Amino acid sequence: MFFLRVGGRLNVTKSEKDKRILLFNPTEKGLDETRRYLENSLAIFPDLLPDYRLKKDHLNNYED
């Protein structure tokens, strides 16, 4: 967790209700890096599973 914070991939704030609680939120840098990692990892899926259809923009949708 420390390396994610220092690397600018994770923001940590204290809760307004209880200052002992730390809230962790990914930064855009962290989200972009994770998205690129997943895109590269999932690139082999069409070769392994031809019937599986993964939308290219699926990783850009935070709701799903």
Side-chain angles (χ1 to χ4, degrees):
M1 300 299 273
F2 176 75
F3 291 113
L4 293 174
R5 288 176 67 182
V6 171
R9 292 168 182 86
L10 191 64
N11 284 328
V12 180
T13 57
K14 291 186 178 186
S15 171
E16 292 294 322
K17 294 180 181 179
D18 188 345
K19 298 295 183 188
R20 297 173 294 174
I21 297 174
L22 296 176
L23 304 173
F24 297 88
N25 295 308
T27 63
E28 280 302 313
K29 179 180 179 180
L31 290 173
D32 288 340
E33 187 175 275
T34 303
R35 193 176 299 112
R36 283 193 314 270
Y37 173 76
L38 288 172
E39 286 172 353
N40 290 332
S41 299
L42 297 175
I44 192 75
F45 267 63
D47 295 334
L48 294 175
L49 304 167
D51 295 333
Y52 184 75
R53 300 287 179 224
L54 181 66
K55 298 178 193 172
K56 273 192 159 187
D57 63 343
H58 187 72
L59 295 174
N60 295 326
N61 187 351
Y62 295 118
E63 300 298 322
D64 291 340

